[in-house]
Amino acid sequence: MKKIITVDGPAGSGKEKISRYIARKYKLYHLDSGLLYRRLAYELEKKNIKTFQVSKIKSAIKNFKKLSLRKAKMLRKEQIGKAASEIAKIDFVRDFINSQQRLATKAPNKKKGFIIDGRDIGSVVFKKASLKLYIDVDVNIRAKRRYKQLIDNGEKSIYLNILKDIKLRDKTDKTRINSPLVVPKGAKIIDNSHTFKNTIAQIRNIIEGIN
Ligand code: CDP
């Protein structure tokens, strides 16, 4: 099996940017598991299925064979993120997304391995990964960054609402019964509160230190 690096951390911690950087630098294939939860939330919304309509979600999932991994701006909307977090509490949804991730790691590609980011990648989905990273950033810094990102995307936002939403998302992700967000056993912690240059230095120390 090819090498797998997992990246977990809370909402807005910069997992995606960090994973993209690592993928480019070390020639790995980047798989964003959050994107799959967002894609599923989007597909359900298109079918007018609400996040609490559990049996409707179950039958809809039966008809989805392979979820698209394509990044799209509409998937980054705050409302889709919230819906993704809601459906992510359901155990059969998690099973479905996990099987989609395993499928993706089995598909052939020319890269040396995978970098997969999410909430439970090192703790549940790929427990045997060669390296596990956990990204940590103070909640106020995360809210400021998310606010800027939404404004830059042209989405009208109020900072205090974003802060409230991120705190709620943290609570939902950390306290759910199925695969709550935790620091995986053996994970190396990266503090992404400062400049990206500082974060890169921490990453290189870890990855090049173990190679
Ligand atoms: O970008 P952000 O960190 O806000 O979220 P994301 O990684 O795009 O994921 C959206 C939501 O999906 C998260 O808030 C989680 O509730 C859920 N998720 C999860 O439960 N497990 C994962 N492996 C990835 C995402």
Side-chain angles (χ1 to χ4, degrees), residues 66-79:
K66 193 172 173 293
L67 284 180
S68 161
L69 287 165
R70 203 162 45 84
K71 292 183 183 165
K73 209 168 156 193
M74 83 263 180
L75 299 181
R76 303 277 2 140
K77 290 202 163 166
E78 207 42 25
Q79 163 217 351

Side-chain angles (χ1 to χ4, degrees), residues 12-131:
S13 55
K15 297 181 299 290
E16 207 212 336
K17 187 173 174 186
I18 290 176
S19 303
R20 263 193 281 125
Y21 167 82
I22 297 179
R24 212 176 42 240
K25 178 142 183 76
Y26 301 99
K27 302 191 169 43
L28 303 172
Y29 180 92
H30 175 210
L31 181 59
D32 174 356
S33 66
L35 198 72
L36 289 169
Y37 284 95
R38 284 174 184 264
R39 170 65 66 180
L40 181 60
Y42 173 76
E43 296 296 339
L44 294 172
E45 191 191 80
K46 254 189 2 199
K47 289 184 183 297
N48 229 336
I49 299 175
K50 307 278 177 254
T51 56
F52 57 83
Q53 293 177 308
V54 177
S55 52
K56 282 195 177 174
I57 297 177
K58 198 169 200 166
S59 20
I61 278 182
K62 286 196 182 116
N63 295 320
F64 294 131
K65 286 198 177 67
K66 193 172 173 293
L67 284 180
S68 161
L69 287 165
R70 203 162 45 84
K71 292 183 183 165
K73 209 168 156 193
M74 83 263 180
L75 299 181
R76 303 277 2 140
K77 290 202 163 166
E78 207 42 25
Q79 163 217 351
I80 294 290
K82 262 193 221 169
S85 190
E86 281 303 314
I87 57 169
K89 287 189 222 162
I90 309 170
D91 55 356
F92 65 79
V93 166
R94 301 204 72 83
D95 291 344
F96 172 66
I97 301 287
N98 293 352
S99 66
Q100 295 283 313
Q101 292 179 55
R102 295 206 173 92
L103 211 74
T105 59
K106 290 201 173 104
N109 69 56
K110 288 185 184 140
K111 306 281 181 175
K112 291 183 180 164
F114 295 88
I115 174 139
I116 310 174
D117 72 290
R119 300 289 190 289
D120 59 343
I121 311 302
S123 56
V124 175
V125 194
F126 294 102
K127 277 192 190 151
K128 292 189 177 150
S130 11
L131 173 66

